[in-house]
Amino acid sequence: MENQPLKIKNKTARIPIVQGGMGVGVSRSSLAGAVARAGGVGIISSAQIGYDEPDFEQDVQGANLRAIEKHVRLAKEQADGGLVGVNIMHALQHYEDHVKAAVRAGADLVVCGAGLPVELPGLVGDADTAIAPIVSSRKAASLLLRMWDKKYGRTADMIVIEGPLAGGHLGFSPEQLERTAEFDFDMEIRGVLEEKRIYEEKYGVSIPVVLGGGISGRAHVRQAMEKGVDGVQVATRFVATEECDASPAYKQAYIEASEEDVVIIKSPVGMPGRAVRNAFIRRAELGKIPVGRCFHCIKKCSPAQIPYCITQALVNAVKGDLENGLIFCGARVGDIREITTVPALIAELMQD
Ligand SMILES: Cc1cc2nc3c(=O)[nH]c(=O)nc-3n(C[C@H](O)[C@H](O)[C@H](O)COP(=O)(O)O)c2cc1C
């Protein structure tokens, strides 16, 4: 059952592993293309994806839109027919334009988290791009699917459930994250599965569900599939691969990190996030890190009030300046011991 292909709308991935989108710059065409080629679903993150374009400083938005199209094209060239999607955070200032750029570039799917992407069906229209929301509760799934049904007469092509052990921004309260052991997340998973069945029946389609957060080995894949989902979303493990787009220093930080080094931070985005407690985080704990310039990345950000600029911190990290960089990671980063390759990692996660 675990080796069943993943069917998303009219497209099929040979292997039911979706690589989670990772911004800034951690999952671009190199990683996503390699995952797609190996049979999984490769996901590019659109968050400040153009950070190394020559005109990024002068025209952030233009550089990002160009880079979305460029990286989808490059990933698809590498993918050998495999599926390539784009992860676009709803909280982004230019969210709508990012979705349209991904569709224009021929992305197989758009995955949206960090907020409820109510307008997503309208932005994608009739294009052959599947749509997949990321939810962390039954309530969010229920609300969104009901709104899409009422407003657009359509439903999701896939649903990603992101659990409390995931990396990056998290859809849980800091209190829930402190008590993950007591928190019955399986109830939320069952709830999302029940919600999606309503719309599967109504639209006569099947809506695959993938579960992510803390999937670090074969046993976790099996446990996830036993909960009745169709696939898994894995992010942290893909960072320590040769193909990952992050700098070697970033990957090394993953190898060196242990469970005790992982902290929950309050991100300027207004959501909690999970990261490696490095020199940068320790400095941020002591007081504000002045914001140099504003990249207008997030809809709800007031540069005068935030503890640091998240774009600057994530760009520094992906380039390898870890002294000044924020290293997002999942709760199980401590399991990583060495750099591997994407095909070897997928084989490890899927082996019988
Ligand atoms: C470095 C890093 C960056 C991430 N960036 C994003 C992002 O830009 N958008 C998003 O929706 N999720 C983001 N995530 C979450 C992942 O896509 C994924 O769902 C989650 O981390 C899965 O858990 P795992 O890392 O334990 O496998 C990020 C995760 C990591 C580790």
Side-chain angles (χ1 to χ4, degrees), residues 248-258 276 322 327 333:
Y250 197 108
K251 299 175 189 179
Q252 189 58 31
Y254 266 42
I255 293 173
E256 286 167 14
S258 63
V276 178
L322 301 188
I327 309 167
V333 67

Side-chain angles (χ1 to χ4, degrees), residues 30-351:
S30 171
L31 178 57
V35 173
R37 189 184 179 87
V41 182
I43 306 282
I44 293 164
S45 162
S46 82
Q48 306 295 17
I49 184 173
Y51 75 88
D52 57 354
E53 292 286 313
D55 58 346
F56 181 69
E57 296 274 325
Q58 297 79 45
D59 178 15
V60 177
Q61 160 75 338
N64 283 336
L65 294 180
R66 190 174 346 106
I68 290 172
E69 297 201 39
K70 175 171 104 180
H71 282 283
V72 170
R73 184 171 33 81
L74 288 173
K76 291 204 72 127
E77 275 168 23
Q78 216 198 123
D80 196 22
L83 302 187
V84 173
V86 183
N87 173 298
I88 303 168
M89 294 199 297
H90 186 256
L92 292 181
Q93 178 101 244
H94 298 286
Y95 158 78
E96 281 93 357
D97 294 333
H98 284 209
V99 173
K100 288 181 190 160
V103 170
R104 242 187 346 260
D108 291 301
L109 77 158
V110 166
V111 184
C112 285
L116 275 190
V118 178
E119 328 73 6
L120 185 58
L123 294 170
V124 171
D126 296 331
D128 186 32
T129 300
I131 53 174
I134 303 179
V135 296
S136 290
S137 66
R138 174 185 196 146
K139 196 171 154 199
S142 162
L143 192 65
L144 188 69
L145 294 180
R146 200 164 355 113
M147 287 169 113
W148 282 6
D149 176 41
K150 278 219 170 97
K151 198 164 172 206
Y152 299 101
R154 72 160 294 182
T155 193
D157 299 311
M158 180 177 90
I159 297 174
V160 180
I161 306 180
E162 205 178 72
L165 301 180
H169 292 114
L170 304 160
F172 300 93
S173 67
E175 295 72 38
Q176 284 173 317
L177 293 169
E178 264 170 36
R179 295 181 289 108
T180 47
E182 309 155 33
F183 170 39
D184 187 3
F185 192 63
D186 284 359
M187 195 176 80
E188 300 294 340
I189 298 169
R190 286 192 300 273
V192 175
L193 292 172
E194 278 173 31
E195 292 296 331
K196 70 115 184 186
R197 277 184 211 117
I198 301 172
Y199 298 94
E200 285 187 321
E201 264 182 38
K202 175 161 184 182
Y203 290 95
V205 293
S206 88
I207 308 174
V209 171
V210 301
L211 177 62
I215 294 187
S216 152
R218 174 79 192 113
H220 300 135
V221 176
R222 192 174 303 125
Q223 283 158 14
M225 301 301 253
E226 280 167 6
K227 298 183 202 292
V229 299
D230 307 279
V232 291
Q233 173 155 300
V234 179
T236 296
R237 285 288 321 260
F238 279 110
V239 172
T241 59
E242 283 168 15
E243 296 90 337
C244 172
D245 296 87
S247 64
Y250 197 108
K251 299 175 189 179
Q252 189 58 31
Y254 266 42
I255 293 173
E256 286 167 14
S258 63
E259 207 185 314
E260 297 76 54
D261 298 321
V262 179
V263 281
I264 299 294
I265 57 153
K266 189 170 176 290
S267 152
V269 173
M271 299 167 82
R274 183 173 276 117
V276 178
R277 188 166 179 271
N278 65 347
F280 173 77
I281 299 262
R282 285 196 290 272
R283 213 156 0 98
E285 286 166 354
L286 297 175
K288 268 167 76 97
I289 299 175
V291 177
R293 60 158 297 191
C294 176
F295 295 89
H296 304 285
C297 58
I298 302 294
K299 286 178 199 150
K300 290 184 196 150
C301 178
S302 14
Q305 271 139 38
I306 52 174
Y308 52 85
C309 167
I310 189 142
T311 283
Q312 193 62 65
L314 290 172
V315 168
N316 289 344
V318 80
K319 285 182 170 170
D321 175 9
L322 301 188
E323 277 293 308
N324 297 298
L326 174 61
I327 309 167
F328 273 148
C329 68
R332 295 216 167 102
V333 67
D335 291 354
I336 296 176
R337 301 264 173 274
E338 60 189 6
I339 306 275
T340 180
T341 65
V342 164
L345 174 55
I346 289 187
E348 180 197 328
L349 294 171
M350 295 311 297
Q351 88 206 342

